[in-house]
């Protein structure tokens, strides 16, 4: 008698991905990145408004367009990161200076409530709490989402950042 093996699919995990672009047709770059996310295993449920922001860091460069995507994926975190890097490469991103200009930038902000601290993968994003260009669009989508390390909502993190300014 042969037993049938039934594989149970992992439930999809909620992910928030920040997207930024400050070279070329910035809006088209963002739309292309979203379409490639969808084509590569991210079920996009919501997209924040696209906002224009000054560059982060002290590198002279054009302003960015930024947004955040709220979606679900069954891709494990490391595979998701590899997918984001492949999308960046496909859209023409090349190595530049740290915090330098880029055609596209894709960052995992949250992956459910998961906490990962490895050399090449840090979730939640380790500097998100200091970035208006992440917190403002993220707050539009999920103000009550709880940061699993700080135990504060996105709304609270944004409020704290605004009070520092």
């Amino acid at each position: 008698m042969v037993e049938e093996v039934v594989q149970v699919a992992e439930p999809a995990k909620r992910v928030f991905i920040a997207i930024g672009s400050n070279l070329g047709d910035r809006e088209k770059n963002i739309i292309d990145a979203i379409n490639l996310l969808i084509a590569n295993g991210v079920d996009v449920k919501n997209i924040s408004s696209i906002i224009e922001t000054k560059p982060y860091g002290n590198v002279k460069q054009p302003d960015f367009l930024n947004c955040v995507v709220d979606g679900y994926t069954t891709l494990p975190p490391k595979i998701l990161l590899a997918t984001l890097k492949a999308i960046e490469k496909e859209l023409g991103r090349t190595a530049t200076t740290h915090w330098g200009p880029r055609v596209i930038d894709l960052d995992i902000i949250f992956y459910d409530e998961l906490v990962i601290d490895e050399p090449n993968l840090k979730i939640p994003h380790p500097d998100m709490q200091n970035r208006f260009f992440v917190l403002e669009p993220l707050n539009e989508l999920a103000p009550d989402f709880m940061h699993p390390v700080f135990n504060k909502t996105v709304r609270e993190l944004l409020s704290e950042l605004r009070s520092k300014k």
Side-chain angles (χ1 to χ4, degrees), residues 9-66:
E10 282 288 317
K13 306 294 185 188
R14 189 175 190 190
V15 294
F16 292 94
I17 299 169
I19 305 175
S21 175
N22 75 337
L23 294 177
D25 186 337
R26 300 173 302 167
E27 190 169 342
K28 181 182 184 309
N29 296 340
I30 289 172
I31 292 166
D32 288 348
I34 293 168
N35 286 329
L36 286 169
L37 286 170
I38 294 166
N40 286 280
V42 178
D43 181 12
V44 173
K45 296 297 184 187
N46 210 346
I47 304 165
S48 73
S49 301
I50 295 175
I51 60 172
E52 188 166 31
T53 62
K54 295 292 179 198
Y56 190 76
N58 293 318
V59 179
K60 185 168 173 52
Q61 59 187 306
D63 289 349
F64 276 84
L65 288 184
N66 296 95

Side-chain angles (χ1 to χ4, degrees), residues 49-163:
S49 301
I50 295 175
I51 60 172
E52 188 166 31
T53 62
K54 295 292 179 198
Y56 190 76
N58 293 318
V59 179
K60 185 168 173 52
Q61 59 187 306
D63 289 349
F64 276 84
L65 288 184
N66 296 95
C67 71
V68 171
V69 167
D70 178 0
Y72 289 84
T73 189
T74 57
L75 298 174
K78 288 181 182 178
I79 302 298
L80 177 60
L81 177 62
T83 301
L84 298 186
K85 296 302 174 196
I87 290 170
E88 288 177 343
K89 187 174 181 181
E90 183 174 337
L91 292 177
R93 180 165 176 179
T94 56
T96 62
T97 58
H98 186 59
W99 290 333
R102 61 214 52 196
V103 170
I104 198 72
D105 186 33
L106 301 170
D107 289 316
I108 303 169
I109 302 303
F110 292 121
Y111 186 104
D112 260 351
E113 290 81 30
L114 194 62
V115 177
I116 298 176
D117 187 5
E118 297 177 2
N120 295 322
L121 180 60
K122 298 190 184 314
I123 300 174
H125 190 284
D127 199 32
M128 63 163 292
Q129 71 279 4
N130 297 314
R131 298 177 175 191
F132 282 109
F133 63 88
V134 171
L135 288 175
E136 286 178 340
L138 185 58
N139 186 61
E140 181 183 318
L141 299 177
D144 297 321
F145 193 88
M146 186 69 68
H147 191 293
V149 175
F150 300 139
N151 291 314
K152 294 179 181 179
T153 65
V154 169
R155 180 186 294 111
E156 289 170 323
L157 292 172
L158 179 57
S159 178
E160 286 178 5
L161 185 57
R162 285 179 176 150
S163 71

